[in-house]
Amino acid sequence: MGRRLLTLLLLGLLAGVAAFPGVALAGDPCFHDLSRPPATTGATTAVAIGECTFGPTVTRVDVGDLVTWTNTSAQPHEIVGANLAWGVHDRLVQPGGTATWTFETVGVYPYTCMIHPGMTGAIVVGDPLAAGQASTERAEAAPAAAAPEPVSPTVLVVVGIGVLLLTGATLGTLTVARRRGRVAG
């Protein structure tokens, strides 16, 4: 049993690394077969919630923009930021419903629907890399007033791989639980 779970985790990790499109990794939907819609990007404040997908998957907005998610699917969803730091985690967005969030700080904001494992997206606010370079230049010019270090692309890759591992572990656990339920029932 342990070997099967390890195999599932390793296969998930390998598939994730092979398909890794860049720094912002998002959009592995919760479909139960091997078909996957392509990850999409867009500069818009409107995100469509589909059947286990967010579109665009990676959304670029300006600082201060109000982003609106509209549920175009037939099922309810959540919009939950990493570590519950932001989002609509206190209610479900029903079919036809909307949720909004204003992003006031430059950065990358990954989010998920906690109901549907693998349903993920990311909001990229401003230009995080340019903001990080500007912060570094200011820190060098005035060490006493140094800005926080920007998040490196390497850290984002490691976080992305961690998310893939957690998703694989969740799916593996659900698969094992379902199989046990069928055997016991």
Side-chain angles (χ1 to χ4, degrees), residues 88-102:
V88 189
H89 48 79
D90 57 343
R91 71 176 175 90
L92 295 177
V93 180
Q94 297 298 324
T98 62
T100 60
W101 195 266
T102 302

Side-chain angles (χ1 to χ4, degrees), residues 30 64 69 88 91-92 96 101 104 108 111 120 124 134 141 146 157 160 167 169:
C30 56
W69 286 264
V88 189
R91 71 176 175 90
L92 295 177
W101 195 266
E104 299 290 346
V108 178
Y111 63 94
T120 59
V124 179
V157 168
T167 300

Side-chain angles (χ1 to χ4, degrees), residues 9-56:
L9 286 173
L10 289 175
L11 287 174
L13 176 62
L14 289 174
V17 170
F20 199 87
V23 175
L25 176 65
D28 183 18
C30 56
F31 296 109
H32 301 290
D33 60 14
L34 296 177
S35 67
R36 300 286 188 263
T40 58
T41 61
T44 180
T45 58
V47 178
I49 304 171
E51 298 297 332
C52 294
T53 62
F54 293 107

Side-chain angles (χ1 to χ4, degrees), residues 23 128-129 132 148-157 159:
V23 175
L129 294 178
E149 288 293 318
V151 176
S152 74
T154 304
V155 170
L156 293 175
V157 168
V159 169

Side-chain angles (χ1 to χ4, degrees), residues 2 46 67 75 88 92 158:
V67 176
Q75 55 191 323
V88 189
L92 295 177
V158 169

